[in-house]
Amino acid sequence: MVEVNYQKVTPELAARLAEITGPRYVIYADSEKMFPYSHDETFEGGYTSMPEVVVKPRTAAEISRIMQLAVQERIPVTPRGAGSGLSGGAVPLFGGILLSLERMDSILEIDRENLMVVVEPGVITNELNRTLAGEGLFYAGYPLSLESCFIGGNVAENAGGARAVKYGVTGRYVHGLEVVLPGGEILELGGKRLKDVTGYDLLHLLVGSEGTLGIFTRITLRVLPLPPASAVLLAPFPDVESAVKAAPRMMIETGIIPSAIELLDRRSMELCCRFRGEKVPNMETAGSYLLIEVDGALEEVERSYNLLADKCLDGGALDVYVANTPTTREKFWKLRAVIGEALKAYCGENAAEDIVVPPANIPALLAECENLSSRYGLDSVCFGHLGDGNLHIHLLKKEENMPPEKWREAVHAVLSKLYTRARLLGGTLSGEHGIGHKRKKYLPYVMGEAELALMQGIKTVFDPTGILNPGKITGPDPGP
Amino acid sequence: MVEVNYQKVTPELAARLAEITGPRYVIYADSEKMFPYSHDETFEGGYTSMPEVVVKPRTAAEISRIMQLAVQERIPVTPRGAGSGLSGGAVPLFGGILLSLERMDSILEIDRENLMVVVEPGVITNELNRTLAGEGLFYAGYPLSLESCFIGGNVAENAGGARAVKYGVTGRYVHGLEVVLPGGEILELGGKRLKDVTGYDLLHLLVGSEGTLGIFTRITLRVLPLPPASAVLLAPFPDVESAVKAAPRMMIETGIIPSAIELLDRRSMELCCRFRGEKVPNMETAGSYLLIEVDGALEEVERSYNLLADKCLDGGALDVYVANTPTTREKFWKLRAVIGEALKAYCGENAAEDIVVPPANIPALLAECENLSSRYGLDSVCFGHLGDGNLHIHLLKKEENMPPEKWREAVHAVLSKLYTRARLLGGTLSGEHGIGHKRKKYLPYVMGEAELALMQGIKTVFDPTGILNPGKITGPDPGP
């Protein structure tokens, strides 16, 4: 463990923060108001830590002054977007200053000529898309938390989501960043340019750095013409394996890359249906469901869903249902989107995983998961982004009254073995939720000393005093 | 200038290299055989430097041993692909060991289930595509040097090319790298996974690092289903401005992202036609030409080129010519592809630039270029990737007998002012050719101290002894 020597936030420091942002935007010595900033949406307990002070700056210049103060006084600073993260990345592990970007929520520019938008980090992802739709444009980043998450958090986590199989993840669309470095310098990286090989790609090193290397204050994103049409197919398969095999084959044989290929195992589909009070066909015989979306010009979408439906049937699908009206499309997507809530309602505590493997190795991973779960007295459900090989496995207690200590031990035993197996299958810990605090201890299961040392070295280059979001990805762990 | 203290290659060191690779694969004390390794394809003179020894390893293990030896003896090592670079990146500025990847030229795996290929760095880009075509697949990286360049070089430079507007640049397709670090450690980064947020994105930091942070020995690339059809439009416009304005508008209004939108000004089209002994229509009245490619399913391609042709005409095109057979498509592309050779034939020495700006600012950049060129007694031609805002401006001597000293001064005067203007227009030095040695001195024109310091810091983390490809992007300059 690295030695930590952070100072405490004093009333004087809180007053100096208030001078920077105005006193309305500082919360100090008020546990109730600070509590919402002590956690994110991580399913498991144990990822909560109270800040000593919350500050809500409005500009990069204010953030720069806060960082200079923090360095000078050796106070840790944890940046926070919407708090919708799933790995504890925005949790102020060492207390200190919680820096919320919630007030930096403006869409600064929609540039139709260059197909770019410039936004502040606190813009809600789907609000950007609602605004863009009026211009015939869309932003292709699509985390399923899009109704609450911030663009800044999407960039910090390099968020993925359901449409990455065709559109890629957040980083593909990030072309410019204004960023405040831990020392307070304000840097402009990239801009409205589609290509840039001018030196090392610092911009995309910052994307996905989970708020540990810098704080984004302005983000330039590429947008695309809004596809005029889309359709969703729901295809029940007899088992997971046949669904997994059907997916790449349909892409090669038709030349079509769907905008989404989501997998739900029978168990997760049951939970979603129960939560929504709905039914889907073939529940008696289906072992899994594929939810496939295509988008584009109307003629292209019609051609595509007919071809893909045929390929699903060729691949063993029990049937195929097409949703090509807004209502039916939304019905299918809603089922998929509620899975998180449905799981929380079903079983308060569960371990939400985010393993990614080469898509063809998903059946092997799931088989191992079932073995391990049952060996350690746990249950599991599985769903996720089949097109990307990014599976969300949730471990659940088999018996509600399993003692907390035993539950934690069982989860650790399953995960450590599952991660090792994932590595051997060509996979890794996290496809889109990130490392944060939650998965830091598992990094050595998938990477060696040299890689860990490079990451620590990079952290030190950006943040020599170690005050920015300490304990995430690299760095110290808080005491017990 | 950083102090440099490299040692010279001795006969003993050459012998130790021969022990590692076998004596057949070491060239020492043979200037004639070493000469081809002293330069790349940079147009301007002055980017040539002889290696002291050339070594051609076959495996990552051999490269690891070479690097350990080099660190121990303090000998600089310059990795080299096909030598088709345009910024001096593969030139051994400080002599030392030239490490050629030419023998590592195997396609190791075509994985249809995961839509991935695994290749060695010395595979020629278009040879990969010829092999993949037989499988109904393609690799979307498309530098126009694709008949000679190596995949490893493409990754090292994050090569762009003509199809980036739809398909993005090389980095988008790189999902795994085996890399030998300067100290000799062999690292595995990424793999056959489409998403990965497990720690900092070291993989994409290495992409585009121009052989200064590590040497790639195995590369995992995503491939796509081969589009069954394509068509090329040639649209003459009365001037550059109307062509530039037409491009984004056609994308927004049709929802179609063409696979290429290339611009040639009248001058570069004339040179290409003269070089090929061909004619294109409207040469009397056209001020520029757009070459637009669409690909996809046959019906989609037909629909797309009709829509785009209409939009070209709406945008002021003098006419539109459609090439939808292999022969006519190739005729149009060949005209664009020969521009480099045509320019060399027309004027032996010219300064080839690679500025990228927001596409809408291209007319402003070109106006400034014309002003500056004529002010300093130079000529200029311009062509490039309009869809990306990535323009290749070539400065030429107006009078063939301009004295070398005056030519160099004029080029420097124009470039330093042009880069400053590019920065103010939201652009930067290089969209796809890289910094290498050629543009290193211009980095401060587009980035500040803090950014340069971060890059130097990262270089030191990867290469603490500074032996890998010194003098490129960061680091020391050789003496006069």
Side-chain angles (χ1 to χ4, degrees):
Chain A
M1 203 179 103
V2 181
E3 204 191 334
V4 186
N5 188 20
Y6 297 121
Q7 299 303 306
K8 288 285 153 200
V9 174
T10 58
E12 291 71 32
L13 190 112
R16 287 169 73 186
L17 292 173
E19 277 168 31
I20 295 172
T21 59
R24 263 184 79 181
Y25 304 114
V26 174
I27 311 175
Y28 181 61
D30 185 336
S31 300
E32 201 178 323
K33 283 195 183 151
M34 291 203 294
F35 179 74
Y37 298 93
S38 68
H39 64 89
D40 65 2
E41 294 289 321
T42 303
F43 277 67
E44 300 92 312
Y47 297 103
T48 296
S49 174
M50 282 292 279
E52 295 168 70
V53 62
V54 174
V55 60
K56 304 176 186 180
R58 183 66 194 84
T59 67
E62 288 178 6
I63 295 175
S64 170
R65 290 176 62 197
I66 294 168
M67 294 311 299
Q68 289 173 53
L69 183 59
V71 167
Q72 193 186 308
E73 303 294 331
R74 252 190 115 59
I75 311 283
V77 177
T78 303
R80 178 185 177 93
S84 56
L86 293 167
S87 52
V91 174
L93 272 189
F94 293 87
I97 299 170
L98 187 295
L99 191 152
S100 170
L101 281 310
E102 67 199 86
R103 290 176 62 227
M104 298 183 68
D105 62 352
S106 301
I107 297 173
L108 300 172
E109 190 190 355
I110 296 176
D111 178 346
R112 290 173 61 86
E113 278 190 293
N114 292 305
L115 293 175
M116 294 274 178
V117 296
V118 184
V119 301
E120 289 185 322
V123 171
I124 290 174
T125 306
N126 218 22
E127 279 187 15
L128 175 62
N129 262 332
R130 273 189 280 267
T131 305
L132 288 172
E135 306 271 332
L137 298 171
F138 88 117
Y139 163 63
Y142 194 79
L144 284 167
S145 56
L146 77 172
E147 292 293 353
S148 59
C149 62
F150 288 177
I151 293 287
N154 295 175
V155 176
E157 299 292 321
N158 198 10
R163 287 175 179 154
V165 57
K166 176 170 177 178
Y167 289 109
V169 295
T170 301
R172 180 184 294 182
Y173 299 94
V174 183
H175 289 269
L177 284 178
E178 181 189 74
V179 58
V180 181
L181 295 179
E185 304 91 340
I186 301 176
L187 218 62
E188 291 277 356
L189 297 172
K192 292 176 186 172
R193 33 194 200 249
L194 284 163
K195 288 168 166 175
D196 187 350
V197 293
T198 307
Y200 299 141
D201 191 355
L202 301 181
L203 188 145
H204 289 99
L205 180 62
L206 282 157
V207 173
S209 64
E210 304 189 6
T212 65
L213 302 181
I215 299 170
F216 312 140
T217 50
R218 209 164 57 216
I219 298 162
T220 302
L221 298 168
R222 188 186 189 192
V223 294
L224 298 173
L226 184 67
S230 70
V232 180
L233 302 178
L234 183 74
F237 281 80
D239 47 42
V240 169
E241 208 149 346
S242 53
V244 170
K245 278 199 187 318
R249 215 185 296 147
M250 72 179 75
M251 290 193 273
I252 295 182
E253 290 175 5
T254 65
I256 298 160
I257 304 284
S259 47
I261 308 179
E262 295 290 296
L263 174 77
L264 293 98
D265 69 1
R266 179 218 297 260
R267 191 75 191 283
S268 43
M269 185 56 105
E270 279 168 1
L271 284 170
C272 293
C273 286
R274 194 190 307 170
F275 187 79
R276 300 265 307 157
E278 290 190 18
K279 282 193 171 155
V280 289
N282 302 81
M283 285 299 282
E284 306 72 30
T285 46
S288 73
Y289 287 81
L290 286 189
L291 192 148
I292 302 169
E293 186 190 66
V294 286
D295 65 3
L298 183 63
E299 307 86 317
E300 195 190 325
V301 166
E302 282 175 357
R303 197 184 65 87
S304 295
Y305 72 65
N306 284 313
L307 280 170
L308 293 172
D310 287 347
K311 294 296 166 189
C312 283
L313 294 171
D314 289 354
L318 303 170
D319 211 332
V320 183
Y321 306 87
V322 179
N324 55 3
T325 67
T327 319
T328 52
R329 280 200 310 265
E330 195 173 321
K331 180 186 144 103
F332 285 176
W333 266 122
K334 273 272 163 71
L335 279 172
R336 167 63 182 87
V338 298
I339 181 76
E341 291 168 82
L343 273 160
K344 275 195 179 158
Y346 173 72
C347 182
E349 188 152 42
N350 56 77
E353 286 312 306
D354 183 40
I355 289 172
V356 58
V357 291
N361 289 343
I362 288 176
L365 182 76
L366 293 185
E368 179 79 352
C369 177
E370 272 184 34
N371 284 344
L372 288 168
S373 306
S374 80
R375 196 199 308 172
Y376 291 94
L378 299 178
D379 236 351
S380 66
V381 297
C382 169
F383 58 94
H385 315 302
L386 175 59
D388 317 316
N390 181 203
L391 265 282
H392 300 311
I393 291 168
H394 283 237
L395 301 176
L396 309 171
K397 292 177 186 173
K398 225 173 204 144
E399 286 150 24
E400 194 54 48
N401 56 1
M402 189 179 199
E405 187 60 23
K406 213 181 151 204
W407 156 249
R408 277 197 295 276
E409 276 172 22
V411 168
H412 175 70
V414 172
L415 289 185
S416 52
K417 289 177 177 63
L418 199 58
Y419 289 147
T420 301
R421 181 76 178 135
R423 179 174 58 77
L424 295 172
L425 290 169
T428 192
L429 300 184
S430 179
E432 58 185 25
H433 294 173
I435 299 306
H437 176 212
K438 177 172 155 170
R439 294 189 181 88
K440 184 158 74 95
K441 63 177 174 291
Y442 293 110
L443 280 177
Y445 285 77
V446 293
M447 51 182 70
E449 286 292 332
E451 192 171 349
L452 291 169
L454 289 175
M455 295 207 298
Q456 182 60 59
I458 287 170
K459 168 69 176 173
T460 304
V461 167
F462 278 79
D463 183 17
T465 58
I467 59 152
L468 188 61
N469 209 357
K472 315 299 169 62
I473 304 180
T474 66
D477 289 306
Chain B
M1 203 178 103
V2 181
E3 205 192 334
V4 186
N5 187 21
Y6 298 121
Q7 299 302 306
K8 287 285 153 199
V9 173
T10 58
E12 291 69 33
L13 189 112
R16 287 169 72 187
L17 291 173
E19 277 168 31
I20 295 171
T21 60
R24 265 184 77 183
Y25 304 114
V26 174
I27 311 176
Y28 181 63
D30 185 336
S31 301
E32 202 178 323
K33 282 195 181 150
M34 291 203 295
F35 179 74
Y37 298 92
S38 68
H39 64 89
D40 64 3
E41 294 290 321
T42 304
F43 277 66
E44 300 92 312
Y47 298 103
T48 296
S49 175
M50 282 293 279
E52 296 168 69
V53 63
V54 174
V55 61
K56 306 177 186 180
R58 184 66 193 87
T59 66
E62 288 178 7
I63 295 175
S64 170
R65 290 177 62 197
I66 293 168
M67 293 312 298
Q68 289 173 52
L69 182 60
V71 167
Q72 192 186 309
E73 303 294 332
R74 251 190 115 55
I75 311 282
V77 177
T78 304
R80 178 186 177 92
S84 57
L86 293 167
S87 52
V91 174
L93 273 190
F94 293 87
I97 298 170
L98 186 296
L99 191 151
S100 170
L101 280 310
E102 67 199 87
R103 290 176 62 226
M104 297 183 68
D105 62 352
S106 300
I107 297 173
L108 299 171
E109 190 191 355
I110 296 176
D111 178 346
R112 291 172 60 87
E113 279 191 292
N114 292 306
L115 293 174
M116 294 273 180
V117 296
V118 183
V119 301
E120 289 185 323
V123 171
I124 291 175
T125 306
N126 217 23
E127 279 188 17
L128 174 61
N129 263 331
R130 273 190 280 268
T131 306
L132 288 172
E135 305 273 333
L137 298 171
F138 88 117
Y139 162 62
Y142 193 79
L144 283 167
S145 57
L146 76 173
E147 292 292 354
S148 59
C149 63
F150 288 177
I151 293 286
N154 295 176
V155 177
E157 300 291 321
N158 197 10
R163 285 173 180 155
V165 58
K166 175 169 177 177
Y167 289 111
V169 296
T170 301
R172 182 184 293 183
Y173 299 94
V174 183
H175 289 268
L177 284 178
E178 180 189 75
V179 59
V180 181
L181 294 179
E185 304 91 341
I186 301 174
L187 217 63
E188 292 276 356
L189 297 172
K192 293 176 184 171
R193 32 194 202 250
L194 285 163
K195 287 170 167 176
D196 187 350
V197 293
T198 307
Y200 299 141
D201 190 355
L202 301 182
L203 188 146
H204 288 100
L205 180 62
L206 282 157
V207 173
S209 65
E210 304 189 7
T212 66
L213 302 182
I215 299 169
F216 312 139
T217 49
R218 210 165 54 215
I219 299 162
T220 302
L221 297 168
R222 187 187 190 192
V223 294
L224 298 173
L226 184 66
S230 69
V232 181
L233 302 178
L234 184 72
F237 281 79
D239 46 42
V240 169
E241 209 149 345
S242 53
V244 170
K245 279 201 186 315
R249 213 184 300 147
M250 74 177 74
M251 289 192 274
I252 294 182
E253 290 175 5
T254 65
I256 298 160
I257 303 284
S259 47
I261 309 180
E262 294 290 296
L263 173 78
L264 292 97
D265 69 1
R266 180 217 298 259
R267 191 76 190 283
S268 45
M269 185 56 104
E270 279 169 359
L271 286 170
C272 293
C273 286
R274 195 189 306 170
F275 187 80
R276 299 267 306 158
E278 290 190 17
K279 283 193 171 153
V280 289
N282 302 78
M283 285 298 281
E284 305 74 29
T285 46
S288 73
Y289 287 81
L290 286 189
L291 194 149
I292 302 169
E293 187 191 67
V294 286
D295 65 3
L298 184 61
E299 308 87 317
E300 194 189 325
V301 166
E302 282 175 358
R303 196 184 66 88
S304 297
Y305 71 66
N306 284 314
L307 281 170
L308 292 173
D310 287 347
K311 294 295 167 190
C312 284
L313 294 171
D314 289 353
L318 303 170
D319 212 332
V320 183
Y321 305 88
V322 179
N324 56 3
T325 67
T327 319
T328 52
R329 281 199 310 265
E330 194 172 322
K331 179 186 144 107
F332 285 175
W333 267 120
K334 272 273 163 72
L335 279 172
R336 166 65 183 86
V338 297
I339 181 75
E341 289 169 84
L343 272 161
K344 276 194 178 157
Y346 172 71
C347 181
E349 188 153 39
N350 58 76
E353 286 312 305
D354 183 40
I355 289 173
V356 59
V357 291
N361 289 343
I362 287 177
L365 182 76
L366 292 185
E368 179 79 352
C369 178
E370 272 185 34
N371 283 344
L372 288 168
S373 305
S374 78
R375 194 196 313 172
Y376 290 94
L378 299 178
D379 235 351
S380 67
V381 298
C382 170
F383 58 94
H385 315 301
L386 175 59
D388 317 317
N390 182 203
L391 265 283
H392 299 313
I393 290 168
H394 283 239
L395 301 176
L396 309 171
K397 292 178 187 173
K398 226 172 205 146
E399 287 149 24
E400 193 55 50
N401 56 1
M402 191 179 200
E405 187 60 22
K406 213 182 149 200
W407 157 250
R408 276 195 297 275
E409 276 172 20
V411 167
H412 176 69
V414 172
L415 288 185
S416 51
K417 289 178 177 63
L418 199 60
Y419 289 147
T420 301
R421 180 78 179 135
R423 178 174 58 76
L424 295 172
L425 290 169
T428 193
L429 300 184
S430 179
E432 57 184 25
H433 293 173
I435 299 305
H437 177 212
K438 177 174 156 171
R439 295 190 181 87
K440 184 158 76 95
K441 64 176 172 294
Y442 293 110
L443 279 177
Y445 285 77
V446 294
M447 52 181 69
E449 286 293 332
E451 191 171 349
L452 291 168
L454 288 175
M455 294 206 300
Q456 182 59 60
I458 287 169
K459 168 68 176 175
T460 304
V461 167
F462 278 80
D463 183 16
T465 58
I467 59 152
L468 187 61
N469 209 357
K472 315 299 170 63
I473 304 180
T474 67
D477 289 306

